[in-house]
Amino acid sequence: MKWTGARLARYALEQLDIAYTFGIPGVHNTELYDELASSASLKPVLVTHEGCGSFMADAVSRTSDGVGTLVIVPAAGTTHAASGIAEAFLDGIPMLVVSGGIRTDTGMSYQLHDIDQLQLVQAFTKASYRVSTHSEIVPTLFRAYREAISQEPGPVFVEIPVNLQLFPGEVGELPKYQKPAAEPAPDPEQLKLAAALLASAQHPGLFLGWGARDAVTQTTTLAQRLGAPVATTLQGLSVFPADHPLHTGMSFGPAAVPAASNAFKDCDCLVAVGARFGEIATGSYGVTVPENLIHIDINPHVFNANYPAKIALQGDAAAVLDGLLEQLPAGDLPAFRGAAALSAAIARDKQRYQDEWLRHDSGTRVNPAVFFRSLRAQLEDDAYVVADDGNHTFLVAELFANLRSKHFISPTDFNCMGYCVPAGIGVKLAHPQAQVVGIVGDGAFLMTCMEILTAFELGLGVIYFVFHDGELSQISQAQSLPYNRKTCSVLGKLQVRGIAEATGAVYLEMANDMAVDTTIASALSEAANDRPVIVDVQIDYSKQTRFTKGIVGTNLSRFPLGMKMRMVGRALTRKVVGAPERVDL
């Protein structure tokens, strides 16, 4: 039989249960978009920018069992989408990227969009393919999908030349999609050794990353049986319930909150699950990892990359932990004997840190602790929270309690600003009945805020709390100490109300602590009417997070004495002679 390549691609995507595609139609994919419009099971979503489309696809993958999928034009569509694709690549998020391609049947050079896309995307995809015949289209898309979800997930790129999309070609019987085989089971002897280490440990701890997102039952059981504190990475912030008495917070070193740094100070055996010990997760590599490190991950390349593992267990987190729990002796383990005192200490430290923030005088602006306390109280337990990249990210990490796995997402290792607005749209599409709120700094908001037009057109009640202080605060704070001035980190005057009017969103203002409760309640009420909401939060950033203070201290401690003296001397000189605090170029 003869099918067009566009019809074959639609067939494959339907077989893969793709619910949405994100992108913009163009010369090299109009036939494919026409086919997508005829599908009864998937919906093509028009975005204002392919970069936003890639963040939407990323969010679908992070919060659901589906795989976020892009359908983009070649060249500019690919470079625009590259930030979101690369974010997915470094964060281990599955994504299917379907791009049009130039004609391969004319023999002509210098065609429109004529670049080697496979070479372009090589650095930030798991794999990339260019099909050359009609019969390759369905099997290649199936293969790309399997690669995207297998082992450590990631994005896979498929280019379909426009001539294949447009013209019919001969194909045989179309295959059905077959799920990939299960991951291999871990070595039972290594499981026994790991269980023995844990059974003899006095102060074991758990460090959980995104790879533990589907192993909440197992990690909770292990923590309770051991009586061990639990810390997470930033990306894994939601993978262990924050209301559990053994939960401590993000990271466990000098850049962690007191509950975590105190609970892990004597750790003699650490179980790291789905965590790669990256820069953010370790507070610029400031954590102290014990010699007895049991590292569990589906990707063997992460073992021993930054910290040596005593025992490395490759495999799916839930399966490995099931095996480990079977080997772990039941009954009175040494660490468990202090579990009650540990839980009480964690609770005290959390409360003291909360009180410290609540005592902070934010003047006429909004105290972050007051905001997050009210937000948690008013949100449903199954609400989704999306954070962007910036100072607000670590305020969320330290002051907001995430209760369900995969219900908090944020850009992490690629650390790309502009994520929140489009990602919130992706989450709401995947979970239309759930509350979805975004926490975004004004600098990151400026990058992608016009995508709220897409939320309005689709009738999506996403709430965006814009932390508005007029600066790129994470950077401006980092500049203040060593430079005693802020260069290119002070924003122009932003009229948030104007953005709401331009995109069809409801506009609300939160001017001070007195307005927090009522404004959040109003935002939730307005969003329930299927309309996006922008809340202009006059946030106070004057108090630094533990993360910010911790990484500054860790990095400065590594500088040679001469460099430290130079930086301190420069800052003092500028302070004495009155160098301008703000420098705009």
Side-chain angles (χ1 to χ4, degrees):
M1 58 183 176
K2 286 190 174 183
W3 283 30
T4 66
R7 180 68 183 87
L8 290 165
R10 169 189 154 190
Y11 167 84
L13 295 178
E14 289 173 337
Q15 281 281 304
L16 296 170
D17 291 328
I18 302 299
Y20 299 97
T21 65
F22 303 96
I24 300 176
V27 172
H28 293 80
N29 63 10
T30 52
E31 187 76 12
L32 179 51
Y33 265 87
D34 188 68
E35 282 290 346
L36 295 177
S38 300
S39 176
S41 61
L42 64 83
K43 176 181 175 61
V45 174
L46 171 65
V47 300
T48 66
H49 191 284
E50 288 94 342
C52 292
S54 59
F55 290 140
M56 293 179 198
D58 171 289
V60 168
S61 293
R62 289 190 199 233
T63 63
S64 73
D65 293 331
V67 171
T69 300
L70 298 179
V71 175
I72 55 177
V73 295
T78 300
T79 55
H80 287 346
S83 290
I85 300 171
E87 187 73 62
F89 177 70
L90 286 189
D91 289 0
I93 307 301
M95 186 182 293
L96 184 59
V97 185
V98 182
S99 170
I102 64 170
R103 294 188 67 158
T104 57
D105 60 340
T106 65
M108 305 302 289
S109 299
Y110 308 112
Q111 295 184 48
L112 181 68
H113 300 325
D114 192 350
I115 63 169
D116 186 346
Q117 295 200 109
L118 302 196
Q119 182 178 358
L120 172 67
V121 303
Q122 185 177 9
F124 51 87
T125 57
K126 285 185 70 176
S128 57
Y129 302 98
R130 178 183 296 118
V131 298
S132 57
T133 65
H134 288 78
S135 60
E136 293 173 17
I137 292 175
V138 173
T140 300
L141 286 170
F142 286 177
R143 179 181 179 183
Y145 184 92
R146 279 192 294 269
E147 287 192 63
I149 64 174
S150 298
Q151 296 186 337
E152 182 175 347
V156 179
F157 185 95
V158 178
E159 179 185 298
I160 305 176
V162 63
N163 50 295
L164 296 185
Q165 295 179 48
L166 286 166
F167 306 138
E170 196 71 40
V171 291
E173 183 178 353
L174 296 179
K176 302 292 184 183
Y177 175 69
Q178 301 292 325
K179 293 183 179 180
E183 299 292 338
D187 183 350
E189 291 303 316
Q190 291 294 98
L191 287 173
K192 289 181 181 178
L193 291 174
L197 274 183
L198 286 171
S200 61
Q202 299 291 321
H203 301 286
L206 273 62
F207 186 45
L208 309 180
W210 182 249
R213 64 194 177 278
D214 294 319
V216 177
T217 299
Q218 290 86 349
T219 55
T220 304
T221 301
L222 181 61
Q224 291 174 171
R225 191 180 298 184
L226 293 171
V230 180
T232 75
T233 65
L234 173 62
Q235 190 179 351
L237 208 58
S238 69
V239 305
F240 194 85
D243 56 356
H244 191 284
L246 291 170
H247 172 272
T248 64
M250 185 188 86
S251 198
F252 55 91
V257 294
S261 56
N262 290 337
F264 280 81
K265 65 182 178 182
D266 296 320
C267 180
D268 58 356
C269 184
L270 183 67
V271 183
V273 184
R276 297 176 292 195
F277 292 97
E279 184 169 1
I280 290 180
T282 59
S284 288
Y285 313 106
V287 298
T288 298
V289 177
E291 179 182 352
N292 288 339
L293 169 62
I294 301 168
H295 200 168
I296 299 169
D297 205 283
I298 203 163
N299 180 1
H301 297 293
V302 308
F303 300 139
N304 307 304
N306 290 328
Y307 299 93
K310 175 80 76 172
I311 298 174
L313 298 169
Q314 182 188 355
D316 174 77
V320 174
L321 288 169
D322 280 337
L324 182 59
L325 286 166
E326 288 177 4
Q327 298 290 341
L328 192 65
D332 186 18
L333 298 176
F336 182 77
R337 297 167 195 158
L342 173 65
S343 296
I346 291 171
R348 284 195 304 272
D349 284 340
K350 284 186 173 183
Q351 188 60 56
R352 287 170 180 167
Y353 191 62
Q354 177 82 358
D355 292 344
E356 175 190 320
W357 271 92
L358 292 172
R359 288 193 303 270
H360 173 68
D361 183 6
S362 291
T364 60
R365 300 182 72 82
V366 175
N367 183 317
V370 173
F371 171 83
F372 285 113
R373 180 179 62 177
S374 181
L375 184 65
R376 179 66 279 168
Q378 295 194 57
L379 283 181
E380 297 172 0
D381 287 356
D382 65 350
Y384 288 84
V385 175
V386 183
D388 213 290
D389 170 42
N391 195 51
H392 63 280
T393 315
F394 304 104
L395 289 171
V396 176
E398 295 185 4
L399 299 174
F400 183 79
N402 295 281
L403 303 179
R404 297 196 181 179
S405 186
K406 297 189 286 189
H407 282 57
F408 167 81
I409 60 174
S410 176
T412 309
D413 287 342
F414 195 69
N415 216 217
C416 192
M417 291 174 66
Y419 178 86
C420 176
V421 169
I425 294 171
V427 174
K428 190 66 174 177
L429 285 170
H431 307 278
Q433 303 307 314
Q435 294 172 327
V436 178
V437 302
I439 311 294
V440 54
D442 45 8
F445 184 68
L446 282 170
M447 291 187 171
T448 54
C449 60
M450 297 311 293
E451 198 66 50
I452 294 175
L453 178 64
T454 302
F456 175 76
E457 291 294 326
L458 296 173
L460 303 178
V462 185
I463 304 170
Y464 297 104
F465 292 100
V466 182
F467 280 17
H468 190 176
D469 76 319
E471 297 184 355
L472 301 174
S473 59
Q474 189 75 8
I475 301 303
S476 66
Q477 287 184 9
Q479 290 175 331
S480 295
L481 176 62
Y483 304 115
N484 198 35
R485 67 184 184 190
K486 301 169 184 177
T487 304
C488 291
S489 57
V490 179
L491 303 172
K493 187 171 179 58
L494 171 62
Q495 299 291 339
V496 178
R497 183 190 294 272
I499 294 170
E501 292 174 354
T503 57
V506 175
Y507 173 80
L508 299 171
E509 184 176 5
M510 185 183 294
N512 50 48
D513 288 349
M514 299 297 292
V516 170
D517 290 342
T518 55
T519 307
I520 291 175
S522 296
L524 291 169
S525 177
E526 293 283 2
N529 296 321
D530 300 326
R531 189 175 171 189
V533 180
I534 301 174
V535 183
D536 189 354
V537 182
Q538 301 300 302
I539 198 71
D540 169 34
Y541 274 146
S542 63
K543 179 175 170 58
Q544 290 186 336
T545 61
R546 287 275 293 205
F547 179 82
T548 298
K549 289 189 285 189
I551 61 171
V552 168
T554 294
N555 283 304
L556 282 177
S557 69
R558 298 188 180 121
F559 286 3
L561 180 60
M563 178 62 73
K564 291 179 187 176
M565 297 300 294
R566 173 181 174 271
M567 297 183 75
V568 171
R570 178 176 58 188
L572 289 174
T573 299
R574 286 176 177 174
K575 191 172 185 67
V576 170
V577 302
E581 180 181 281
R582 169 175 170 168
V583 176
D584 292 320
L585 302 179

